[in-house]
Amino acid sequence: MRELFLRKLKMYSAVFAVLKNWMGSWANMPGFTEDYNALGKFISDINAKDQVVKDSLLVSEEKKQRFSDMIDLALEVCGAGSAYANKIKDHALALSFDFTRTSLEAGNDTVVCARCRDIAEAAQPIQEALVNYNLPIGQADMLLTAIAAAESLIAAPHVAIKGRKSVLVELDQLYDDCDSLLRRQLDREMLTFARSQPGFYTEYTTAREIGGWGSGGTKDTGGEVKKEGK
């Protein structure tokens, strides 16, 4: 469906560009001017809402990356912490760092963050000693920062998905309304120029086909463009 919408938007933009280039031919026609402005508004609104959809898709990717960064830091701390604890023969301390990637990632997001926080807090008092085990000073603090970043995004994908569904409904309506504007108004108004301005009319009709529109992804039924599968 997204590919279908993108092809539609490409066609809308091409039509708008043609109308703009031939503005001198219709500038004194109030009705045509109103429809031109309406088409521009539809394109602007569609682009704005499409950006919202793109941004919402990035939220899940950002969360995934934040958790990956947190786990990587936690494993580095665990490696150095385990080596130090074994060196001083502190069994209890060693257990604080006894994690593999699989065991760190087990459980829900809140549990994973809490587990990483325990690791960071166990490492903080011995940060200077861990430098001797290839762990840069301040790494435990960096882990706490990474945990906070991950925790801030735990609910974000759910909120983004809910918002995206709403925007997609609005986008669907915008496309339907724009199709109606073209079919019921601009297409008919352009017939005025079929003989008086054939170059304008030809460019317009060609733009209406850009992106493969009118074939393949659509059906022409009695002059009305309908979506496949609807």
Side-chain angles (χ1 to χ4, degrees), residues 113-131:
C113 287
R115 188 176 294 129
C116 289
R117 188 175 295 279
D118 288 342
I119 292 168
E121 291 175 350
Q124 276 189 310
I126 57 172
Q127 286 192 83
E128 291 186 7
L130 297 183
V131 172

Side-chain angles (χ1 to χ4, degrees), residues 54-71 109 113 145-158 160 164:
K54 291 177 182 177
D55 291 343
S56 71
L57 292 172
L58 290 175
V59 170
S60 295
E61 288 301 315
E62 183 180 0
K63 178 193 168 187
K64 182 179 178 181
Q65 186 60 54
R66 292 288 188 182
F67 268 76
S68 177
D69 292 343
M70 178 183 70
I71 294 295
D109 294 337
C113 287
T145 300
I147 293 166
E151 286 176 332
S152 70
L153 289 172
I154 287 177
H158 175 72
R164 183 164 70 243

